[in-house]
Every structure is written in structure tokens, then in C-alpha cells.
Amino acid sequence: KIMLFFGLLLFLFLQIIRPQDFVPGLQGVRLVLYLMVVLLIGLLFSPVDKKLIRTPQDKYAGVFLISIVLSTLTLFWFSYILDTAIETMKTALMYYFLVMVIASEDRFQKTVWTMVALMGWVALMGVLQYHGYDITGAGMDFAEDKGVWQIKGIGNFDNPNDLAYSTVLVVPFALGLLFQTKAFLKRIIALLLLIFSTYCIYLTKSRGGQVALAASLGAWFYLWTKNPKIKRRLMLLAITGIIAVGIAQSTGYRQDESAMGRIQAWSKGWQLLKSNPIVGGGKDQFREHYKKDTHSSYVRAGAELGLLGLYALMGMIYAVALTILSMQKLIVDEKWRPYYAGFGAFFVSYLVGSIFSTRTYDLIF
């Protein structure tokens, strides 16, 4: 059991940091695939409870992963179907290993902080990239429409927007650690994580990432505070902000090339959904039918994965929301406060970011 747990942490490291993509001597080596084989064999002979479905979100996640593979069958492209199945299996293995192997509070806490630390590391590498120390060799992107340089990562974070949205995970957990702990060293670590992650999001120059950060901060303060009056004020402020943003975005949208491009992309997504309503047009195939991205996780899910994938995505969102709200109401032990506030804040940032950006296949979520 202990070896499986450390194997799981190593799997997270390889998926998030991805040394196999930039460390000399490891480049091109299929470390994730080899580790996956070893973990599967270890799991087969391990006495751990191999029950996969333990919560509603486990069920919806399974349906979502299956829908990804099924969506490619309509393409009749064997190599693509096989590659997609292998990549999806990696995600499924990591997810269900989390479900099966994390069987104690101690392991849960270690896994959460391992993920936060790894994403903090990713943020730090992004900051160093901007200041001339490009550890991964990813390089920066120049956004012609904004006239600015944007930092980016590798692997799952090889786009400035992807890097920004994923790094948001660090912020609420760093805040929770900073506010709750009394240990000086832990507070220093929390402060550094907070600085690196917020600075990284700023350097991506991602407007959506900055909106997601603001949503995460608002949600964190709402979940963290216990004062009902403050909660009501925060909720009123959030509603006012949403209305203001909606009015600002809708005013003159017909003259806004970016806004009209999104509307046209959403229209194309609707057409793809109608042409393949059950399993969609295939994962990552939207750009084969339209020149621009969907700029919406929900439109992307419907267009590429059909009603089956969209149902599973919305099911995951619904189940996670209920879980976080119930945890806040039921838990009285203060040690769990950083966790439901942290996950809840990142969850809200995912929902907000998903409206106008594509986070359908976000690994961290």
C-alpha cells in the first residue's frame, strides 16, 4: 500500500512537472507509460479495496473519460483512436488511483499539498522564464492582439491560458495555510507560494486567468469566513459584479471582433452537436471544422463529446458543488477548513473560466 501511494505521488510529479519533456537524458523516455504498467501490476496484487465508484463524481468522471474515447470512434482513424485511448487511460489511472489508494486523512493531506507544491513549482518556472531562466525551454508567446509577451509551461500547461487557469489552484490553498498556521516557516512557504502563483498568473497576461483568479479569491473569502453578514455581502457583491461584467461584455458586441468570433464558434459547436448528438465529433476535433477555438468548456464538450460527454461534465460539476457545500456545513474540525475553502475556490474559478475559455479536459480539475 505504501509503495502504491508513493507511486501515485510520482505519477502526479511526472504528469505535472514532466521532466521527461525537458531534462537531458530523460527526453523522449515514456516514463508515464512505464510507471503506469508498474502501478497496474502492483495494484493487481495489492490488498487495497479496488472499488472504483465511491462518490457520485467518481461515476460521472468515469462516464466522462469513456465519452472521450467513444467520441473518436466516428473518425475511423485507428492511430488517433489508440493514442486518445492511451492518454485517457493515464488520466483514468491517476484519478482512480487517488480514489483507491488515498484511504486515510494523512494520505489525503499529503496528496493535496503535493499537488499544490508541484503547481507552485510550475508557477516558479514560469516566473523564472520571464526573467531569462527558461528551465523547460518552452519559450514565450507573443500575443499580437495584445502586443505583449506571455509566459507558458510545457505539457498540460503549454499555453499561457492553461498555465494561468491551473496555477490558480495554488492561491486559495496558500491563503488557507497562511491564515491558519502559526508556524513561522509554514507562513513563509505559504507567502512564497502565494507570490509565485499570483505573479505567474499576471505574467501570462491571460485576461481569463485574471478573471478566474478574482473569482477564486472571492469564493475563498466566502467559504473561509463564518460571519453570515459578510457572506451575504460577498454574495451581493458577486452578483453585482456578474451583472456588471455581463452588461460590459454585451454592450457593442456586434462591433467586437472577438465577441462575434465566439458567437460564431458557439454556433458551429451547435451544428457539430446536431450532426453527432450522442458521442460528438471527436476529442480535439473542433478546430478541424472551424478556424478558432470554442472559448467555452461547455460548448467544446457538447461539440466534441456529444450529449454523453456534456452530461458527464455537468454531472461532475453538480456533484462536486454538493460535496463542497455539504463539507462546509458538516465539518466542525478547523483542520479541514483550508481544504473545502481551497477546493471550493478553485472549483468556482473553473466554472467562471470555463464560460469563455476551453477547460474541458483540464487535468488539475
Side-chain angles (χ1 to χ4, degrees):
K1 290 183 179 181
I2 295 177
M3 292 304 296
L4 280 178
F5 178 64
F6 282 110
L8 174 61
L9 297 183
L10 178 59
F11 200 92
L12 290 171
F13 174 78
L14 293 178
Q15 286 284 59
I16 295 175
I17 303 299
R18 301 191 67 82
Q20 64 273 23
D21 288 347
F22 66 91
V23 175
L26 294 179
Q27 288 179 298
V29 180
R30 307 185 73 177
L31 295 179
V32 174
L33 182 61
Y34 298 152
L35 179 61
M36 187 170 69
V37 172
V38 172
L39 290 178
L40 283 173
I41 295 173
L43 180 65
L44 185 64
F45 295 98
S46 172
V48 299
D49 184 3
K50 298 177 178 61
K51 184 179 179 182
L52 299 180
I53 309 299
R54 305 188 185 201
T55 64
Q57 49 262 48
D58 296 339
K59 176 186 68 176
Y60 289 117
V63 175
F64 183 75
L65 294 168
I66 291 171
S67 73
I68 290 176
V69 179
L70 290 179
S71 72
T72 62
L73 298 181
T74 58
L75 303 175
F76 301 102
W77 183 4
F78 180 75
S79 61
Y80 184 73
I81 295 172
L82 183 61
D83 290 342
T84 303
I86 292 173
E87 288 301 313
T88 305
M89 189 180 299
K90 293 175 185 177
T91 305
L93 178 66
M94 184 163 62
Y95 182 91
Y96 287 107
F97 253 71
L98 286 167
V99 172
M100 291 184 286
V101 176
I102 301 177
S104 67
E105 294 181 2
D106 179 64
R107 289 185 181 181
F108 170 76
Q109 293 172 326
K110 287 179 178 177
T111 304
V112 170
W113 289 110
T114 296
M115 291 182 66
V116 172
L118 291 176
M119 281 311 307
W121 187 349
V122 169
L124 176 60
M125 289 194 293
V127 171
L128 292 174
Q129 180 191 80
Y130 179 79
H131 290 281
Y133 301 95
D134 193 357
I135 298 173
T136 64
M140 296 174 65
D141 283 345
F142 182 73
E144 294 184 1
D145 59 331
K146 303 175 186 176
V148 296
W149 286 95
Q150 299 176 281
I151 63 171
K152 64 177 183 177
I154 57 173
N156 301 295
F157 322 112
D158 61 356
N159 178 286
N161 293 319
D162 293 331
L163 178 60
Y165 284 117
S166 300
T167 306
V168 169
L169 174 77
V170 181
V171 176
F173 281 97
L175 281 171
L177 183 62
L178 185 64
F179 274 74
Q180 189 180 60
T181 186
K182 295 181 180 179
F184 178 75
L185 181 58
K186 287 185 178 180
R187 284 189 171 180
I188 293 297
I189 293 173
L191 189 60
L192 289 174
L193 284 172
L194 190 60
I195 292 171
F196 291 148
S197 56
T198 52
Y199 188 34
C200 174
I201 294 169
Y202 168 75
L203 292 176
T204 62
K205 307 298 181 182
S206 168
R207 287 172 295 189
Q210 292 168 8
V211 171
L213 173 61
S216 175
L217 290 172
W220 183 84
F221 280 108
Y222 178 84
L223 292 168
W224 186 265
T225 185
K226 295 180 179 179
N227 189 315
K229 290 184 179 180
I230 296 178
K231 281 183 178 292
R232 286 194 295 269
R233 289 171 183 173
L234 287 171
M235 182 62 71
L236 181 61
L237 182 64
I239 294 172
T240 304
I242 292 171
I243 294 173
V245 170
I247 293 173
Q249 292 292 329
S250 61
T251 303
Y253 76 94
R254 293 187 183 277
Q255 288 75 43
D256 188 330
E257 185 178 342
S258 176
M260 289 305 298
R262 282 189 171 92
I263 293 173
Q264 292 168 4
W266 295 352
S267 176
K268 186 62 179 180
W270 171 244
Q271 293 174 23
L272 287 174
L273 175 60
K274 288 194 295 183
S275 62
N276 291 285
I278 305 302
V279 296
K283 181 180 182 288
D284 293 332
Q285 292 301 298
F286 183 84
R287 290 295 298 272
E288 299 295 324
H289 299 273
Y290 190 69
K291 59 184 178 180
K292 295 182 179 180
D293 199 355
T294 58
H295 291 289
S296 170
S297 300
Y298 313 109
V299 174
R300 187 76 171 267
E304 293 187 349
L305 308 181
L307 293 175
L308 181 64
L310 183 59
Y311 160 78
L313 177 65
M314 299 310 295
M316 279 193 290
I317 289 172
Y318 178 72
V320 170
L322 287 183
T323 299
I324 292 170
L325 290 175
S326 63
M327 284 175 65
Q328 187 186 23
K329 291 177 181 178
L330 296 175
I331 291 176
V332 291
D333 196 328
E334 281 292 304
K335 71 178 180 180
W336 295 115
R337 201 175 173 193
Y339 296 95
Y340 67 71
F343 280 123
F346 176 70
F347 173 70
V348 170
S349 78
Y350 177 86
L351 294 184
V352 172
S354 292
I355 297 173
F356 296 109
S357 295
T358 306
R359 311 300 310 142
T360 310
Y361 310 114
D362 183 75
L363 176 72
I364 303 300
F365 175 69

